[in-house]
Amino acid sequence: MFKVYHEVLTLSTVRQFQLIDITKDVEKIVERSGIKDGICVVFAPHATGAIIANENEAGLLDDITTFVREFTESDREWKHNRIDDNAHAHIGSAVISSERVFPVIGWRLVRGTWQNIFFVEMDGPRPYRNVVVMVLGSIS
Ligand code: ZN
């Protein structure tokens, strides 16, 4: 039998650029879904945030943050900054992507040992950020 299940995670961020590890939350949602085989979509409904999968190592998280800050050129005079002050974050979201998809096999989310799941804040701090986690698949 086919099933679709979702939950919404609510986060808050405290810095302009910040990576928040949501791996355990996503894995618990997959467990609660009861879905045996299918896919798990992790989606950030925000134009200035993104979702990535990578290693949770402090130095690397700083490196990724540095890279995102540099490639989005947060100090540049982007046109969107004439009406809002976050063009770099929109560009980061557009390039990195708002969603990632993971396989679900045998009631477990499949990911590499060094693939934790992160929400990427690029326009913080924000009191509320949502991440929609949707699991679709068979329950038997
Ligand atoms: Zn904007």
Side-chain angles (χ1 to χ4, degrees):
M1 198 177 108
F2 188 78
K3 182 179 179 183
V4 178
Y5 179 87
H6 87 277
E7 290 188 32
V8 180
L9 299 174
T10 303
L11 317 169
S12 59
T13 60
V14 296
R15 293 191 295 277
Q16 184 184 23
F17 290 89
Q18 187 178 351
L19 297 173
I20 297 184
D21 193 328
I22 56 172
T23 310
K24 287 194 172 72
D25 300 296
V26 174
E27 288 184 337
K28 282 178 190 157
I29 291 168
V30 170
E31 283 176 28
R32 284 196 289 272
S33 77
I35 289 168
K36 182 184 177 194
D37 295 304
I39 59 171
C40 174
V41 178
V42 182
F43 174 75
H46 300 289
T48 55
I51 302 292
I52 63 169
N54 220 289
E55 182 177 358
N56 189 349
E57 187 276 317
L60 181 65
L61 299 186
D62 282 348
D63 292 340
I64 292 172
T65 301
T66 299
F67 178 78
V68 171
R69 185 188 299 275
E70 289 177 359
F71 100 80
T72 59
E73 300 186 58
S74 57
D75 296 329
R76 184 166 159 179
E77 290 185 21
W78 294 108
K79 291 180 183 174
H80 180 65
N81 291 346
R82 290 183 288 200
I83 60 157
D84 203 355
D85 193 27
N86 59 3
H88 72 277
H90 287 276
I91 293 165
S93 177
V95 172
I96 298 168
S97 176
S98 302
E99 105 292 318
R100 301 283 159 161
V101 178
F102 299 85
V104 173
I105 300 176
W107 297 281
R108 295 185 66 120
L109 180 123
V110 178
R111 61 183 180 87
T113 305
W114 312 116
Q115 278 182 316
N116 281 30
I117 307 166
F118 293 88
F119 174 75
V120 183
E121 176 63 84
M122 292 175 280
D123 192 30
R126 297 285 191 110
Y128 300 105
R129 287 297 210 180
N130 291 329
V131 176
V132 179
V133 181
M134 181 161 259
V135 192
L136 309 92
S138 65
I139 58 170
S140 56

